[in-house]
Amino acid sequence: MGHELFIAPSILSADFTRLAEAVALVEDAGADLIHVDVMDGHFVPNLTIGPPVVRALKRVARRPLDVHLMVSDPDSTAQWYVDAGADIVTVHVEASADLRHTLQAIGAAGVTPGVTLNPDTPVSTIREVLPIVGLVLVMSVNPGFGGQSFIESSVAKVAEIASMCEEAGASPRIEVDGGIDALTAPRVVSAGADTLVAGNAIFGAADPAAALREIRARAEAHLV
Ligand code: DX5
Ligand code: ZN
C-alpha cells in the first residue's frame, strides 16, 4: 500500500531477564518497531506484560513501542498503555464493546490506534473503523503464545483486508503477527502486508540480528 516495510520483533520470545539488551540488539539490526504482547490471562490463556514493563521499555527503546493488547477489557485499560508510553495501541475487535470510542480515545491522546482480529474473526467486523485506525493487525495464529505455526488462510485474509482498505479509501499499515519467518514473510507481503511481527524466528535464532535481516531481505523484494 505504498508504505516501506517495517519489521516489528516481538519481545515475547526474548529473555525477560535481559529485555533492554534484546531491544538494543534488534534496534541495531534495523528493527522499525518493538512489538509488545500484553496478555491478561483472561482474553488469552497466558499472562505477560503490563503497564510497568511498558514504562520501563519506553526508557530504553529508541524505536516506537507497538503494543498489542490481548485483554478482555481494552475499553477501560487501553489508556494505561497510552500513559505508559506506547506509540501504537492495538485493540482486539472481539474484546471491545465500544471499539470506535476506544480507538478514538487512543488517537486523541496522540497515539496511533490499531485494530486486530483473530484468525476465525471475519474481516467485515473491522470495516467501519478502517478510516480511524493507523494499523490493522492480522493474527496469523490464535493469540496467546509465541512459536506457533502460521495459519495458511492468513495470506488470503491479508489480501481481503488490503482490498477492503482500498475500497474504503483508507491506508492503514497492514501488520501480520504469528508464525512469521523468512518463508512466510514474503507471502504475506505479496498479499499486501507492510509490517511484520516476528518473535521466535528472531529471538529463537542463533543469530537474531542475521535472522531479522534475512526476513527483511526476503520480504522487501515482494513489497507491493
Ligand atoms: C501471539 C503474539 C505474537 C507472538 C508472535 O499471541 O501476539 O506477537 O509473539 O510470535 P511468533 O513470531 O513466535 O509466532
Ligand atoms: Zn502480538
Side-chain angles (χ1 to χ4, degrees):
M1 307 250 81
H3 294 134
E4 67 177 298
L5 182 69
F6 275 8
I7 307 290
S10 166
I11 55 160
L12 184 62
S13 293
D15 179 347
F16 272 24
T17 69
R18 294 169 175 268
L19 283 181
E21 285 118 291
V23 168
L25 187 153
V26 292
E27 287 179 339
D28 289 344
D32 301 283
L33 302 171
I34 302 299
H35 187 82
V36 182
D37 287 305
V38 171
M39 304 186 188
D40 67 351
H42 189 260
F43 182 69
V44 289
N46 196 5
L47 190 58
T48 56
I49 285 172
V53 176
V54 173
R55 197 169 288 114
L57 287 165
K58 187 65 183 173
R59 298 204 329 259
V60 297
R62 288 168 279 148
R63 294 297 182 183
L65 297 182
D66 173 28
V67 177
H68 174 194
L69 295 187
M70 287 160 275
V71 303
S72 287
D73 190 9
D75 299 333
S76 62
T77 60
Q79 187 64 39
W80 298 352
Y81 299 91
V82 168
D83 294 342
D87 297 278
I88 301 168
V89 172
T90 297
V91 176
H92 270 268
V93 61
E94 302 86 0
S96 178
D98 199 351
L99 187 62
R100 171 171 289 273
H101 178 262
T102 298
L103 295 170
Q104 275 166 341
I106 293 166
V111 168
T112 299
V115 66
T116 182
L117 69 179
N118 284 336
D120 291 338
T121 301
V123 301
S124 58
T125 56
I126 62 166
R127 182 181 279 118
E128 67 151 310
V129 297
L130 289 179
I132 63 164
V133 295
L135 180 146
V136 173
L137 173 58
V138 182
M139 288 308 302
S140 43
V141 297
N142 286 301
F145 302 92
Q148 303 182 74
S149 307
F150 181 79
I151 295 173
E152 286 298 322
S153 57
S154 311
V155 178
K157 201 169 185 184
V158 168
E160 207 182 334
I161 287 171
S163 71
M164 206 169 81
C165 287
E166 214 167 292
E167 275 165 34
S171 52
R173 282 199 164 268
I174 300 179
E175 181 178 44
V176 184
D177 184 5
I180 294 297
D181 58 20
L183 295 177
T184 53
R187 299 177 56 210
V188 296
V189 167
S190 296
D194 55 40
T195 305
L196 302 174
V197 177
N200 188 56
I202 292 176
F203 290 107
D207 184 344
L212 189 158
R213 291 193 202 100
E214 192 192 353
I215 292 169
R216 182 192 293 289
R218 298 242 188 156
E220 223 150 40
H222 293 79
L223 203 57
V224 292

